[in-house]
Amino acid sequence: MNDRQTAIARNPSAEAASAAGDGYQVRVLEPSPPAVTSEPFFADDPAHMDPRGAAGGPVVTPHSGGDLSWDDLIAQQRPDLADFAAERWLGARRQLPDLPTGYPDSLMDYHRLAYSVVAEARHRSNGKFGLRYVRGGFGTPFFGDDVQVRVDGDQLVVQRGDRVQTAGITTLRAAGEFVGVAPGVTAAEHDSPELGDLDRPLDASSAVGGFLGAWFGLATAALEELRFTPGVIDPERVQLWPGHLDPAMAAGDAAGGGRATFGFSPGDHAHDEPYVYAAAWGDVDRSEGFWNETNFNGASLPWRELSEADDHYRAAVDFLKHAYSLLNL
């Protein structure tokens, strides 16, 4: 990777605060510095609601659980923020792009890169391997001395404090050398793909990388909406797990048999295309036609159906909330 270049350091929370201006407390979907060095998460919670702060003004959130959503702010006062919010999946959400040609093979290489290099870098610092949505792709929360490793389209990015370097994605070995780790499997979960030849060129493209960024952005926005829906029981934080390469969270009444994992798979060994899913922890009523999956205990909204919806974000949220309500009547 010899095409390194200097880029601008990102701080999504500060960017949003600057865009919104004085009088608001803003929440976002992406991790921001500084690094969190305390247990149990060693990571910030970008969409959180606490603490509100007595004099900070209304809390503007990418979900409906705050004082004012980004959509509310745009519609009522600041239409000029529509493009800013849409680019970050905070509000004014666009439709997903078309699925790129050659998607399944390229997805597998992004998957290898995610768990063996990106997640590996964070895991070697603090023992955690969960990833997050970042604008244009996916990456780590900030760790160590305000370090973030992320994938933006077909570029690998390392941000250390105010210093940022980027390089084109070529091979796993070169990616590891650029990030400063040997590609490994200590951050792997079940279903992680094999590393294979570390010197084989990876099939990374701006089209597939861009699609993944959009898919993970919509996923995180929809999952945060479910998480902050009043009455939802014990919702977890949203994380992008490198083993499956999917943003997911668990929620629901475990004792009453209503808990499930809700997520957005970009595709896997049983599905060539992306899908939204609800994987129940307990029994489901198969006489209810909603529970349509044969590959796991639950239901899925396949890409082909989602892509035909008039509003991709709303269709995904409706699917998640319907699954939750069926399990937690």
Side-chain angles (χ1 to χ4, degrees):
M1 288 193 177
N2 55 11
D3 55 339
R4 303 182 185 188
Q5 60 187 35
T6 301
I8 298 173
R10 291 207 59 220
N11 183 327
S13 181
E15 293 167 11
S18 177
D22 294 338
Y24 303 101
Q25 299 178 76
V26 298
R27 301 292 184 264
V28 294
L29 295 174
E30 304 170 67
S32 300
V36 176
T37 57
S38 57
E39 296 187 18
F41 296 106
F42 293 95
D44 63 330
D45 185 4
H48 73 94
M49 286 306 304
D50 294 317
R52 287 173 178 257
V59 181
V60 182
T61 58
H63 49 77
S64 60
D67 300 322
L68 198 67
S69 72
W70 281 91
D71 278 329
D72 292 334
L73 180 61
I74 291 164
Q76 298 172 14
Q77 304 172 44
R78 296 289 305 279
D80 58 296
L81 289 175
D83 287 344
F84 176 90
E87 188 176 3
R88 294 158 176 79
W89 290 92
L90 300 171
R93 298 177 181 94
R94 300 166 178 150
Q95 297 287 77
L96 291 164
D98 293 337
L99 205 61
T101 301
Y103 176 77
D105 290 339
S106 185
L107 170 64
M108 186 62 69
D109 279 351
Y110 276 99
H111 196 169
R112 290 186 178 95
L113 178 67
Y115 91 87
S116 70
V117 175
V118 182
E120 187 75 8
R122 182 185 183 213
H123 186 266
R124 294 193 181 190
S125 174
N126 58 27
K128 300 291 186 179
F129 52 72
L131 302 177
R132 302 290 189 275
Y133 155 71
V134 302
R135 179 157 55 105
F138 58 89
T140 66
F142 284 83
F143 61 87
D145 294 327
D146 290 346
V147 177
Q148 184 184 54
V149 178
R150 59 183 184 262
V151 170
D152 184 349
D154 59 356
Q155 298 290 305
L156 189 60
V157 183
V158 178
Q159 178 170 326
R160 295 182 176 91
D162 293 332
R163 183 171 178 264
V164 184
Q165 289 184 298
T166 67
I169 297 169
T170 56
T171 68
L172 287 182
R173 191 183 306 280
E177 291 173 354
F178 178 66
V179 171
V181 299
V185 295
T186 59
E189 306 167 272
H190 65 283
D191 288 347
S192 294
E194 296 293 331
L195 282 180
D197 181 0
L198 299 184
D199 296 310
R200 179 181 64 79
L202 297 174
D203 182 6
S205 69
S206 58
V208 174
F211 178 87
L212 289 176
W215 178 253
F216 295 149
L218 179 142
T220 304
L223 290 168
E224 294 289 15
E225 178 62 27
L226 177 65
R227 178 188 175 198
F228 288 101
T229 296
V232 168
I233 299 170
D234 295 330
E236 294 180 343
R237 287 195 186 189
V238 177
Q239 299 200 70
L240 199 166
W241 298 104
H244 300 282
L245 197 61
D246 63 348
M249 57 169 271
D253 180 11
R259 198 159 182 81
T261 300
F262 302 88
F264 286 68
S265 173
D268 54 33
H269 66 281
H271 306 80
D272 286 339
E273 297 181 338
Y275 61 97
V276 192
Y277 68 86
W281 292 18
D283 294 334
V284 296
D285 181 4
R286 288 286 177 176
S287 66
E288 167 60 60
F290 178 80
W291 304 108
N292 60 349
E293 264 294 339
T294 58
N295 294 288
F296 57 84
N297 183 43
S300 67
L301 174 63
W303 164 254
R304 292 183 184 276
E305 184 175 340
L306 177 63
S307 65
E308 294 174 355
D310 292 336
D311 185 330
H312 293 169
Y313 169 76
R314 181 49 51 191
V317 169
D318 288 348
F319 171 86
L320 296 175
K321 289 187 174 182
H322 184 59
Y324 181 89
S325 67
L326 288 177
L327 293 168
N328 293 273
L329 294 176

